Amino acid sequence: MPVRFSSWVGRSTLAAVLTAVAVLLLVASTQIGGLTDRFTGESKAQAVANHTVTFVNDSGEKIWVGSTVNADGSQNFGSLPILEPGQRATIEIPENSGPGHWRGKFFPRQGCTGESGSTFHCEVGDCGNAADHCAINSEQPVSLAEFNFDPSDALSAVWYNISYVNAVSLPVTITPTGGPAPQEGSQHCGVAGCAKPFLPSCPAANLVRDGGGRAINCVNPNRDAETDYSRAVAGVCPKAYSWSKMDTMAGNQTMFECGECTGFTVTFHGNGTPPVAPAQPQPQPQQQETQAAPQQPAPPAEEGLRAGALAEPDPSTLGTLVSNWQGDCLDVPDANFADGVHLQLWGCNNTDAQRWAFVGGTLMTRDNLCMDVAWGSRDDGAPVQLAHCSGNPAQQWVLTEAGDVVNPQADKCLDIKDWNPEYGARLQIWECRGTVNQKWHRA
């Protein structure tokens, strides 16, 4: 038999009880929601954070960045950086908008001329008549930096690789940022690609030259088979695709992934083909001379002058020393040319702070200052600094064919301290291990 409430007191009591229950339920749900937010809020924030890609132009020439996207709804860019030599620029990947992923490729466009929107075109990487983006979404015969950004990936990873399957125009590397230091030989958060110039190794049949005869590209004659081209690419850069099925070969180092990183640096490196220096006029013999002075042999281009000639270097011998890992340059902090200043790495900008020459076995910059192992130490971790040039053993350096910069006295290599990927990374000497943070090239 149902209960009846025949008095005002009964009805009021029931209303009060129901109100109290409703309040308790509201408080409980709020607290549960708060706990849920406490446990999931951070991961949600991380899930919606887009990655960044920073482009660095270490090629020595102007670059118009291009991109193409996969036919899976990925949104292509309507504006991308145009970089003068030494410049860098950062973009954000739209991986959480549209289809909820971004899969595509970035590449360098070179030798571009004309008016954007009408007559604009490029010798290499020509993807339409727009200067700041690709007007057509078609793959070009050019070096490619490929990415797969997908927040729903089971491993929470971004996949990336360097592809020379179509061609090699410029050497390209991809370096993760904001993640763990890469382990040598590992494809987890490792550096994809290589900074070493390839065009000098391109088979003659595959080499493309511009109207002036300068080598500008090396094009794959068959992307789906091993050829002389693919073998040459694999020999110079095993950390890049040289043909389409390379990732099926045992021991290949083509695909990389990184779930912890917040972004990537794509560096376009140089081909090692600087402009030809103009011919110097020959001095006319003077009538008064009765005996010609003996002609001295020209010094090797890499070593400059020999011992006993520690004058300031000839400007024509100056160049940059570039890290194969980061693509950044040996740099004097704030252009402070003073004895004892510790050297660092910085984005290549072709300033006096980054211009060096091999002179008398030393690596010399302006004002008669040389790269020096502090205190003449032979110990791992000894800082590398500037010091007044004396040619002593602490200032002797040899750039080997393998890309090591060795101090013979210590029998140790120039090393990026703690695998620091950021601008301002300090330099030291360390046991030569052949790791990429000890590899360098001249540019």
Side-chain angles (χ1 to χ4, degrees), residues 108-256:
R109 305 162 76 192
Q110 301 167 257
C112 304
T113 57
E115 183 179 350
S116 183
S118 59
T119 60
F120 184 86
H121 75 96
C122 302
E123 288 186 314
V124 179
D126 196 18
C127 58
N129 63 0
D132 65 345
H133 69 279
C134 285
I136 56 175
N137 186 47
S138 64
E139 237 176 66
Q140 304 296 313
V142 66
S143 303
L144 299 172
E146 300 185 318
F147 288 96
N148 182 344
F149 294 95
D150 188 350
S152 66
D153 181 84
L155 298 178
S156 299
V158 177
W159 297 86
Y160 58 100
N161 66 273
I162 295 298
S163 174
Y164 296 150
V165 169
N166 296 332
V168 183
S169 51
L170 288 177
V172 183
T173 54
I174 300 174
T175 305
T177 56
Q183 300 298 312
E184 180 65 16
S186 173
Q187 290 165 254
H188 173 65
C189 299
V191 179
C194 309
K196 186 177 181 181
F198 175 72
L199 293 188
S201 302
C202 178
N206 310 130
L207 192 62
V208 178
R209 299 181 182 273
D210 64 13
R214 185 174 70 104
I216 58 173
N217 207 355
C218 187
V219 178
N220 191 351
N222 185 347
R223 56 174 287 140
D224 297 320
E226 286 193 86
T227 60
D228 288 344
Y229 168 93
S230 66
R231 285 183 282 270
V233 170
V236 172
C237 188
K239 293 183 178 181
Y241 274 88
S242 60
W243 64 293
S244 62
K245 301 297 189 294
M246 188 177 178
D247 59 345
T248 64
M249 301 177 68
N252 77 88
Q253 303 175 61
T254 53
M255 286 298 301
F256 295 77

Side-chain angles (χ1 to χ4, degrees), residues 65-410:
V65 178
S67 66
T68 60
V69 292
N70 292 11
D72 57 6
S74 296
Q75 299 174 349
N76 208 348
F77 288 86
S79 179
L80 285 168
I82 300 172
L83 301 174
E84 297 290 345
Q87 287 186 333
R88 63 171 54 207
T90 300
I91 64 170
E92 188 174 280
I93 301 297
E95 60 199 283
N96 289 287
S97 59
H101 60 255
W102 193 91
R103 302 183 183 98
K105 309 166 180 70
F106 298 107
F107 55 88
R109 305 162 76 192
Q110 301 167 257
C112 304
T113 57
E115 183 179 350
S116 183
S118 59
T119 60
F120 184 86
H121 75 96
C122 302
E123 288 186 314
V124 179
D126 196 18
C127 58
N129 63 0
D132 65 345
H133 69 279
C134 285
I136 56 175
N137 186 47
S138 64
E139 237 176 66
Q140 304 296 313
V142 66
S143 303
L144 299 172
E146 300 185 318
F147 288 96
N148 182 344
F149 294 95
D150 188 350
S152 66
D153 181 84
L155 298 178
S156 299
V158 177
W159 297 86
Y160 58 100
N161 66 273
I162 295 298
S163 174
Y164 296 150
V165 169
N166 296 332
V168 183
S169 51
L170 288 177
V172 183
T173 54
I174 300 174
T175 305
T177 56
Q183 300 298 312
E184 180 65 16
S186 173
Q187 290 165 254
H188 173 65
C189 299
V191 179
C194 309
K196 186 177 181 181
F198 175 72
L199 293 188
S201 302
C202 178
N206 310 130
L207 192 62
V208 178
R209 299 181 182 273
D210 64 13
R214 185 174 70 104
I216 58 173
N217 207 355
C218 187
V219 178
N220 191 351
N222 185 347
R223 56 174 287 140
D224 297 320
E226 286 193 86
T227 60
D228 288 344
Y229 168 93
S230 66
R231 285 183 282 270
V233 170
V236 172
C237 188
K239 293 183 178 181
Y241 274 88
S242 60
W243 64 293
S244 62
K245 301 297 189 294
M246 188 177 178
D247 59 345
T248 64
M249 301 177 68
N252 77 88
Q253 303 175 61
T254 53
M255 286 298 301
F256 295 77
E257 55 80 24
C258 193
E260 303 92 321
C261 62
T262 57
F264 297 86
T265 296
V266 174
T267 304
F268 303 114
H269 302 276
N271 270 320
T273 53
V276 178
Q280 298 297 318
Q282 297 299 315
Q284 297 299 317
Q286 298 184 11
Q287 297 294 329
Q288 292 84 354
E289 283 188 328
T290 57
Q291 182 176 359
Q295 185 176 4
Q296 299 298 322
E302 189 61 63
E303 297 188 13
L305 304 176
R306 273 333 211 162
L310 292 181
E312 290 197 20
D314 183 328
S316 67
T317 66
L318 291 166
T320 55
L321 188 66
V322 184
S323 165
N324 287 9
W325 175 45
Q326 295 174 313
D328 294 333
C329 285
L330 176 66
D331 181 272
V332 179
D334 300 318
N336 180 14
F337 294 92
D339 188 80
V341 171
H342 287 188
L343 298 177
Q344 66 176 9
L345 282 187
W346 201 263
C348 298
N349 52 37
N350 200 34
T351 61
D352 283 349
Q354 298 180 354
R355 291 166 61 78
W356 303 82
F358 280 90
V359 179
T362 69
L363 194 56
M364 180 185 288
T365 186
R366 76 177 207 196
D367 297 334
N368 198 35
L369 291 163
C370 287
M371 188 166 79
D372 176 276
V373 181
W375 320 295
S377 175
R378 303 183 183 187
D379 297 332
D380 283 343
V384 175
Q385 63 180 13
L386 273 185
H388 292 296
C389 295
S390 64
N392 70 67
Q395 298 180 359
Q396 296 293 308
W397 303 92
V398 176
L399 176 59
T400 71
E401 290 186 359
D404 302 310
V405 177
V406 183
N407 175 244
Q409 172 183 252

